[in-house]
Amino acid sequence: MGKHILLLGPPGAGKGTQSKRLAAEFDLEHVTTGDALRSNKQMDISDMDTEYDTPGAYMDAGELVPDEVVNAIVEEALTSADGYVLDGYPRNLEQAEVLSGMTDLDAVVYLSVDTEELVDRLTGRRVCPECGASYHVEFEPPEESGVCDECGAELEQRDDDTEETVRERLRVYEENTAPVVEHYRDEGVLVEVDGEGTPDEVFDSIVGVVDE
């Protein structure tokens, strides 16, 4: 039976990077809410008494997919996985309570990163509009400033990576998801890992928690 790992942390903490590495290290499914929604866009949810009959209809309309739909999709993804690293769910206390009813967790890891460090990380991101490659002006710069190594296109800063937007994203995270962190802390299952080291140092710390 594969391990059941939940990775929590604010935007910019490195959850995506570390989740992928963990999944590879322990031969687990990497389950993210976004991927699960995209792969189940045509799932029939007509029995749920929701506005639309598929998750894809919400996404195409630019609307948030309701919690009950997200819960069902995540449950489907976890049930079909031998073991998993869960990233991006639960986003609120209600989802955390639903999650406890659908699976048992072997490890709950929280990546702790100072707010100003998160702002630096997120505002420094640059993406290639042509091939999708991602860089960082400080931590992972392209060989030539402002130019994609892969295809030579001019790099851009995404609208949601400006400082004002980043601070608002972090505020919303604190409002909605910080209570989830406290929920697992109160249950005595949360292990906090310093997310400000190098990616390798952070990864080694997480592996240490999972192996315990």
Side-chain angles (χ1 to χ4, degrees):
M1 188 72 178
K3 293 179 181 292
H4 297 172
I5 304 167
L6 171 60
L7 201 56
L8 297 169
K15 292 191 305 296
T17 301
Q18 299 298 344
S19 295
K20 286 175 191 163
R21 288 187 68 176
L22 275 175
E25 176 79 12
F26 292 100
D27 194 22
L28 306 171
E29 293 285 334
H30 179 208
V31 178
T32 75
T33 318
D35 288 346
L37 281 169
R38 281 186 287 275
S39 60
N40 288 278
K41 283 185 75 169
Q42 301 311 315
M43 179 179 177
D44 182 3
I45 56 171
S46 55
D47 61 323
M48 289 189 182
D49 194 27
T50 50
E51 184 179 355
Y52 300 112
D53 290 339
T54 65
Y58 283 96
M59 296 158 79
D60 293 340
E63 296 180 26
L64 280 177
V65 180
D67 271 5
E68 63 184 303
V69 179
V70 175
N71 295 339
I73 287 174
V74 169
E75 183 166 19
E76 174 68 26
L78 299 187
T79 303
S80 61
D82 180 35
Y84 58 79
V85 182
L86 183 54
D87 162 20
Y89 180 98
R91 289 184 182 272
N92 55 49
L93 271 178
E94 291 78 11
Q95 288 182 350
E97 284 158 8
V98 170
L99 179 63
S100 67
M102 68 171 81
T103 189
D104 292 321
L105 296 168
D106 296 314
V108 181
V109 180
Y110 174 66
L111 295 179
S112 173
V113 181
D114 179 74
T115 299
E116 294 309 310
E117 171 71 12
L118 294 171
V119 171
D120 285 347
R121 288 183 182 185
L122 291 168
T123 55
R125 183 163 55 181
R126 299 291 183 272
V127 293
C128 176
E130 299 298 327
C131 72
S134 183
Y135 302 88
H136 192 282
V137 293
E138 183 180 350
F139 307 119
E140 197 177 349
E143 289 179 18
E144 182 183 343
S145 179
V147 177
C148 178
D149 293 344
E150 303 296 325
C151 70
E154 191 170 328
L155 300 178
E156 297 177 348
Q157 183 181 46
R158 291 186 349 192
D159 289 343
D160 58 352
D161 287 341
T162 62
E163 182 171 347
E164 183 181 0
T165 309
V166 162
R167 290 193 183 278
E168 175 61 14
R169 283 170 64 197
L170 294 174
R171 186 196 67 75
V172 170
Y173 167 81
E174 278 298 320
E175 193 175 288
N176 295 326
T177 313
V180 174
V181 175
E182 293 311 308
H183 165 76
Y184 288 113
R185 198 190 306 278
D186 291 344
E187 286 197 341
V189 295
L190 185 86
V191 178
E192 199 164 310
V193 164
D194 182 359
E196 295 191 28
T198 66
D200 285 347
E201 288 168 347
V202 175
F203 181 69
D204 288 344
S205 297
I206 298 172
V207 169
V209 172
V210 173
D211 276 339
E212 277 183 5

